[in-house]
Structure formats: structure tokens, C-alpha cells
Amino acid sequence: MKKMMIAFAAFGAVAVTPAFAGDDMAGMNMSMKPAASMASSNAALTDAEVRKIDPASGMITLKHGALRNVGMPAMTMAFKAKDASMVKQIHEGDKVKVRIEDVDGTLTIVRLEKAS
Ligand SMILES: [Cu+2]
């Protein structure tokens, strides 16, 4: 009887260890996802200058530096502003820092800060 108990205890330990390891891995994956998305929202900002603002369409024309994440060299072009509030907080000629991302196929200003 004593031998059976030891055998059960040993079996139990072996069976439980991989399960715990699996939970650990799942926990790590869960905690890494928010970190990855935070890295995305804190991604590098690119210097740009506001050339034209069209409040009606929510488009902002920027003379922008190279945008590595969307594979675009420096140029002047219009972008969709993610929030209408972006259009209100800037004026033509302002120096800004922006994050441009491809949102469902539309190059969109997802972050906009005034450069000081
Ligand atoms: Cu461009």
C-alpha cells in the first residue's frame, strides 16, 4: 500500500508539471500582446509640416519625412485624419510630428503632435 501511494504521488507530479508549464506559456503570451500593441502606438513619429487642411473631408496635406512603416519616401501629400479633432488643433504652416499607418488600405494620420 505504501508503494502504491508513492507511485501515485510520483505520477501526479509528472502529470501536473507539464500542465503548469502550459499555463505559464499562455500567461506569457497574454501579457506580451498588450506590450506589442503599446509598442505600435508608441511607434516612431515622423516630422512633417502642415500644408493644407480640408475640414470638410478631414484630409490634411503634409510635407512629410520618410515613413518607413508604410515604405514611403519624403514627399507632400494628403492624408486622412483619424480624428476630426486633429483638423481643429493645427493650422497651415504648423510643424508637427505624425504617425501614419495603413488603416484598411487608407493612409491615415493616427497620431499628431505639434512639434515644439
Ligand atoms: Cu507620402
Side-chain angles (χ1 to χ4, degrees):
M1 190 60 192
K2 202 170 184 182
K3 272 184 185 170
M4 283 284 281
M5 296 280 282
I6 291 164
F8 261 105
F11 182 78
V14 168
V16 163
T17 304
F20 269 116
D23 282 351
D24 256 11
M25 291 294 280
M28 277 179 66
N29 287 341
M30 292 281 279
S31 61
M32 281 178 75
K33 272 181 188 167
S37 62
M38 257 177 77
S40 172
S41 61
N42 288 334
L45 298 176
T46 301
D47 287 315
E49 189 182 314
V50 179
R51 284 302 173 88
K52 191 165 170 272
I53 303 164
D54 185 351
S57 64
M59 299 294 285
I60 299 173
T61 302
L62 297 173
K63 181 186 175 191
H64 67 78
L67 304 168
R68 291 212 180 97
N69 63 307
V70 293
M72 189 178 278
M75 69 179 80
T76 300
M77 62 182 282
F79 292 99
K80 180 87 186 158
K82 188 185 174 210
D83 300 313
S85 61
M86 282 179 180
V87 175
K88 290 174 190 156
Q89 68 190 19
I90 52 165
H91 303 93
E92 286 173 22
D94 279 355
K95 299 253 197 278
V96 293
K97 286 178 179 290
V98 293
R99 173 68 181 178
I100 308 292
E101 285 180 9
D102 184 329
V103 179
D104 297 328
T106 302
L107 290 173
T108 306
I109 303 169
V110 296
R111 273 186 70 191
L112 186 149
E113 295 175 7
K114 281 201 185 184
S116 46

